Amino acid sequence: MSDIDIGTEQGVLTMRFNRPAKKNAITAAMYQVMADTLKAADADAAVRVVLIKGAADIFTAGNDLEDFMKNPPAGSDSPVFQFLYNISHAKKPLVAAVTGAAVGIGTTMLLHCDVVYAGDNAKFTLPFAALGLCPEAASSLLLPAIAGYQRAAEKLLFGEPFDAHEAREMGFVNQVLPAAEVAAFALGRAQKLAQLPASSVRTTKALMRSAHLKAVEAQMTDEGAHFRKMLTSPEAKEAFSAFFERRKPDFSTFA
Ligand code: COA
């Protein structure tokens, strides 16, 4: 059993987080699999749509904090940044099915998906500032553009969880469904997309995405430079240690 399950059926490639013991937290090895899968999907005519999903009670807890502490991504070609590059440049449509918590990159990756369906048990969190980090995945550009500046700022600064209805009002969730129905509904939508003329679907997506792609690339580069530096900061060390020690972090001594 792999931490990322991959299977293709009727033109839909499904990528499923499958690391339940760690709430589907994403390690460098998992990022590499996802980055490679997205790249291969773009080159494979048998794949028309990519569906991203997690488990019924957890989408993903985001970056694996232990892995990040032990092996912080050193350069822009590290697995997490390869994944972000490939998801933001994906040519085939990406459908997401979110049930349970979607933390950090679990939420920011959705900004690169084309349609997002969420369960009424979904909970989104952008805890970067609270972890001594900064936004990634061009979320500091895309979220204000999608949701408006103040709504994005509240989520990115405070890092408090919010539900699927609020995510829908913000504009990055298409539809909220009973949690038990999300997986089948999203698969049905992906299959429907897979039956449409593939080149028209790809061109429609490319036209919508291309207008902002350069700005997204530039923002990701900027965010990535800050993020890599901040990962080894004393603030991040305090935040990560506090998480594993199940205590409240104390940032009072840092300027
Ligand atoms: N990195 C590494 N391990 C993680 C993790 C993460 N991001 N999220 C959860 N885990 C591990 C926990 O350490 C715990 O491991 P253990 O059983 O060996 O002690 C296990 O997964 C279960 O987590 P727990 O916190 O007990 O589950 P929960 O149901 O109470 O809460 C979450 C689920 C997702 C809300 C909570 O785990 C969480 O907030 N995780 C951190 C999210 C985060 O900050 N991500 C980084 C974003 S940049």
Side-chain angles (χ1 to χ4, degrees), residues 63-81:
N63 293 307
D64 184 303
L65 296 174
E66 197 182 347
D67 196 41
F68 252 24
M69 259 200 299
K70 287 189 183 150
N71 315 296
S76 56
D77 61 345
S78 52
V80 59
F81 294 112

Side-chain angles (χ1 to χ4, degrees), residues 21-23 25 58 61-66 101 103-105 127-128 131 133 227 243-244 246:
K22 296 290 177 185
K23 301 285 167 183
I58 177 83
N63 293 307
D64 184 303
L65 296 174
E66 197 182 347
V103 185
I105 201 162
F128 304 110
L131 288 170
L133 301 172
F227 196 91
F243 172 71
F244 288 113
R246 297 183 185 267

Side-chain angles (χ1 to χ4, degrees), residues 209-219:
R209 291 275 174 189
S210 65
H212 308 290
L213 202 53
K214 286 278 166 258
V216 165
E217 273 176 22
Q219 195 77 4

